[in-house]
Amino acid sequence: MPFTFTQRVRLEDTSTAGTLYYATVPTYVGRAVEELLAATGHPYRDNLEEDLGLLVVRTESEYSRPMREGDDIRIDVTPSVGESSIRFDAFATRDGEEVFRASETRVSVDMSTMESHPVPESLREGLAEYS
């Protein structure tokens, strides 16, 4: 079952056309991922204190419908854990209608060496609930 996060579109997130600015979707997905990590008991700040970085190496977005200031966007996130990376697939809706699909891939990195390393087992286990 995916992790669910709700994001309200703010005025500052819109373009001069009054719709969600296209570059805002990765920010929304990143927020949803941070909340997912916290829900698994691995808040990002704690990860950094343990020299674990989850660095974004790829994002992709496809838009279905315009979003406007005040819209509540439900973002369902499903993680897929690899050896040293995690792909987060996001499916977003407004009032039950799809508004975008997106994905974000993060690599597990030792922050002291900036070298990739395997996703920690405890994080892998925590994310399994949402896979």
Side-chain angles (χ1 to χ4, degrees):
M1 171 175 279
F3 175 81
T4 299
F5 174 76
T6 301
Q7 171 69 55
R8 176 163 288 154
V9 176
R10 305 286 182 204
L11 183 60
E12 66 191 24
D13 299 334
T14 61
S15 68
T16 55
T19 59
L20 185 74
Y21 181 60
Y22 74 94
T24 305
V25 166
T27 300
Y28 284 6
V29 173
R31 287 180 187 154
V33 168
E34 286 181 25
E35 293 299 323
L36 168 56
L37 293 171
T40 66
H42 294 85
Y44 206 83
R45 182 175 301 263
D46 290 358
N47 292 337
L48 291 174
E49 289 174 4
E50 296 175 15
D51 279 338
L52 170 63
L54 295 171
L55 306 183
V56 176
V57 295
R58 180 183 171 103
T59 64
E60 192 173 359
S61 305
E62 182 176 336
Y63 307 88
S64 309
R65 289 183 174 72
M67 295 156 274
R68 299 188 184 280
E69 186 271 330
D71 287 350
D72 286 324
I73 308 300
R74 174 185 164 144
I75 305 171
D76 292 330
V77 179
T78 305
S80 301
V81 183
E83 179 62 29
S84 61
S85 66
I86 308 167
R87 178 183 166 115
F88 297 95
D89 290 311
F91 179 79
T93 57
R94 178 193 56 232
D95 299 327
E97 293 188 319
E98 179 181 339
V99 290
F100 71 80
R101 291 174 186 256
S103 67
E104 175 181 281
T105 302
R106 295 184 180 220
V107 172
S108 177
V109 172
D110 180 320
M111 294 300 289
S112 63
T113 65
M114 296 305 287
E115 297 290 328
S116 68
H117 65 84
V119 174
E121 192 60 34
S122 61
L123 178 55
R124 184 181 300 277
E125 290 170 2
L127 292 170
E129 176 181 347
Y130 302 101
S131 296

